[in-house]
Amino acid sequence: MKKYRWWFIGTGVALLLFISLPFMVIYFLNNGNPYTRYWTEKQVPAHLEAQGYTEKDLLEAHWVLPKYRVNNDIYTDGYMVRFKDEPTVTYTYGVKRQGKNVVQYCEKETEATNPTTTSDSTRHNEDTCIDHWANR
């Protein structure tokens, strides 16, 4: 009987993994990867604070999961920020896979007629930004 105990345990574990795998895939598709969400929610607010922004300057700031694939150098998760002095423009930040550095996307969403703009006329542009659609 001892001889078959490990076979039963191994079969049970394999069966449990096989059954739970579809549920894990559905969870990741709906809620994103918890690891990348953790890094995004940790790094971006710290980056904004290092840039000199406080909670008083922000109208809205939260984690988002886009419906499409973004730049392969950056985690798919994003962080949307709207500032009080520019409430019609939404800035998107991402975290690089290598080095976990925060970058701002060059594309900004506006509430005007043009839904996406890359112009430098917005107030909170960073010196270096990354193209959202590059390296796909």
Side-chain angles (χ1 to χ4, degrees), residues 18-52:
F18 182 72
I19 291 172
S20 65
L21 186 65
F23 294 106
M24 291 172 40
V25 169
I26 291 171
Y27 175 82
F28 284 151
L29 288 175
N30 289 330
N31 300 313
N33 187 340
Y35 175 76
T36 59
R37 182 175 183 167
Y38 167 77
W39 277 108
T40 303
E41 288 181 336
K42 178 182 176 188
Q43 296 291 98
V44 175
H47 173 76
L48 291 173
E49 187 176 308
Q51 295 290 326

Side-chain angles (χ1 to χ4, degrees), residues 16 30 114:
L16 181 65
N30 289 330
N114 186 8

Side-chain angles (χ1 to χ4, degrees), residues 71-85:
N71 191 320
N72 286 330
D73 294 336
I74 299 179
Y75 289 131
T76 305
D77 304 40
Y79 205 82
M80 304 290 270
V81 177
R82 287 188 351 179
F83 295 94
K84 286 185 179 177
D85 60 347

Side-chain angles (χ1 to χ4, degrees), residues 56-115:
K56 295 177 187 175
D57 299 329
L58 305 178
L59 181 64
E60 179 183 10
H62 58 86
W63 172 86
V64 293
L65 182 65
K67 296 178 181 171
Y68 46 85
R69 184 79 177 137
V70 295
N71 191 320
N72 286 330
D73 294 336
I74 299 179
Y75 289 131
T76 305
D77 304 40
Y79 205 82
M80 304 290 270
V81 177
R82 287 188 351 179
F83 295 94
K84 286 185 179 177
D85 60 347
E86 200 174 22
T88 60
V89 179
T90 303
Y91 296 87
T92 308
Y93 293 86
V95 178
K96 285 188 173 184
R97 293 178 188 271
Q98 300 294 325
K100 308 291 188 270
N101 297 325
V102 176
V103 293
Q104 184 184 60
Y105 292 121
C106 295
E107 297 84 12
K108 281 90 175 158
E109 295 180 21
T110 61
E111 293 178 8
T113 56
N114 186 8

